[in-house]
Amino acid sequence: MAMRQTPLTCSGHTRPVVDLAFSGITPYGYFLISACKDGKPMLRQGDTGDWIGTFLGHKGAVWGATLNTDATKAATAAADFTAKVWDAVSGDEVLTLAHKHIVKTVTFTQDSTCLLTAGNDKLLRIYDLSNPEAAPLEIAGHTSAIKKALWCNNDKQILSAADDKTIRLWDRSSMEEVKTLTFDTSVSSMEYVADGEILVITYGKTIAFYNALSLDLIKTVEAPAPINSASLHPEKDFFVAGGEDFKLYKFDYSTKEELESYKGHFGPVHCVRFSPDGELYASGSEDGTLRLWQTAVGKTYGLWKCVLPEDLGAENSEQMYTLAPEIKA
């Protein structure tokens, strides 16, 4: 009897959810932040989707959101020409960093001392958070808006993806371009996996895996529909992807075989990420919701509770496991 995937639905946003990120595992569990066009990024408990708080202060769509490793700080990138840094424990705004155009992406260094930002003005900026009044370091080179920028190689290098159909690798100390990958179409997403130095990118219907240091291609996988985001499991045994057909796809990383696909969202999937423990993955959609999906369907974890067939009455024996009665987190 096949197990039925029952995602947890996280409501609260009123517009499309365009970015999400998990913290690392902390003594209090792990956390999830979502960026939404409603301008109100939300913090949630990562394993249950329970709402913790909303960061209030942006005056436009929020395009990017991130947490530092220990979930003490959050950062957001918005259409109001600012990036903001927040105290993720109290919810208070700590810093507003003014930009000249829409900001699309924000990322902390591992030690949380610097913030990398980028967006529609085509520049990468590095802010020293211990001296926020100082002018940021600026790196130019892209010829169109930058969608995503990430630290890599122990924060010694930067990866950026832009609408100029390139991904570029930069050296932090020299601020010079190291290598460029050029594509036939704009790259829709980029994920960096530090363990193994793997870069996961999506463009069109393609999910591609590169070595993040050399930018040598490892493999590509073709999906059934245009893909907006993909994420590699921490153990690297499979990856998930979501896109324009509202579905979540799960593939075997070594064989590239499609293992499962799930429908749950009522609009295109914009972002998908595995949790730091690999037990679930979160998706954000045009439909304004986040959904949490179990990696191993039927396992007791978070709000999911496994029920063995002998514990079920005949009337619901087709359902192998249950959830708490109300699953809208």
Side-chain angles (χ1 to χ4, degrees), residues 40-270:
K40 296 172 182 175
M42 291 187 180
L43 183 70
R44 296 174 187 272
Q45 191 72 38
D47 60 339
T48 63
D50 289 338
W51 177 83
I52 294 170
T54 302
F55 298 101
L56 299 174
H58 278 299
K59 295 180 174 65
V62 175
W63 286 102
T66 192
L67 293 164
N68 66 348
T69 308
D70 64 4
T72 56
K73 288 180 183 174
T76 49
D80 60 9
F81 292 20
T82 71
K84 290 182 187 285
V85 179
W86 311 80
D87 181 320
V89 180
S90 67
D92 295 334
E93 186 181 310
V94 177
L95 275 177
T96 295
L97 305 168
H99 288 62
K100 295 181 174 67
H101 212 309
I102 291 167
V103 191
K104 285 288 183 74
T105 176
V106 279
T107 319
F108 290 105
T109 47
Q110 291 172 45
D111 62 7
S112 308
T113 59
C114 292
L115 187 73
L116 173 65
T117 73
N120 286 15
D121 66 359
K122 312 169 197 172
L123 294 174
L124 295 161
R125 289 185 173 83
I126 302 170
Y127 289 89
D128 179 352
L129 297 180
S130 63
N131 185 17
E133 299 303 312
L137 298 172
E138 294 184 352
I139 302 175
H142 278 294
T143 56
S144 292
I146 300 171
K147 281 185 175 171
K148 194 80 173 176
L150 302 167
W151 296 105
C152 67
N153 192 10
N154 290 316
D155 300 336
K156 295 195 288 284
Q157 291 180 309
I158 293 165
L159 286 157
S160 57
D163 286 334
D164 58 15
K165 302 177 184 174
T166 69
I167 284 181
R168 304 184 193 217
L169 178 66
W170 310 84
D171 185 77
R172 180 181 179 177
S173 55
S174 70
M175 295 174 42
E176 297 291 320
E177 196 176 306
V178 179
K179 193 168 180 181
T180 301
L181 293 175
T182 305
F183 299 89
D184 293 333
T185 185
S186 195
V187 171
S188 51
S189 78
M190 183 168 69
E191 178 187 59
Y192 167 66
V193 182
D195 178 26
E197 296 288 347
I198 297 171
L199 180 65
V200 186
I201 67 167
T202 59
Y203 56 93
K205 294 182 179 180
T206 304
I207 304 141
F209 300 86
Y210 285 81
N211 178 294
L213 302 181
S214 65
L215 292 190
D216 291 334
L217 180 65
I218 300 168
K219 68 180 78 179
T220 61
V221 180
E222 293 300 311
I227 295 296
N228 295 326
S229 183
S231 185
L232 181 61
H233 189 269
E235 302 292 321
K236 304 179 188 60
D237 35 15
F238 33 74
F239 62 94
V240 291
E244 291 299 308
D245 65 352
F246 308 2
K247 287 185 180 177
L248 272 297
Y249 292 92
K250 186 174 165 187
F251 293 87
D252 185 293
Y253 180 62
S254 54
T255 67
K256 309 201 284 195
E257 176 191 1
E258 183 188 319
L259 301 174
E260 297 159 4
S261 68
Y262 298 113
K263 184 112 182 284
H265 283 294
F266 296 97
V269 177
H270 292 308

Side-chain angles (χ1 to χ4, degrees), residues 273-300:
R273 283 292 177 268
F274 271 107
S275 62
D277 63 1
E279 292 285 352
L280 60 82
Y281 47 99
S283 57
S285 166
E286 184 76 15
D287 67 14
T289 67
L290 291 102
R291 286 171 203 256
L292 305 183
W293 310 78
Q294 272 191 297
T295 303
V297 178
K299 187 173 177 178
T300 295

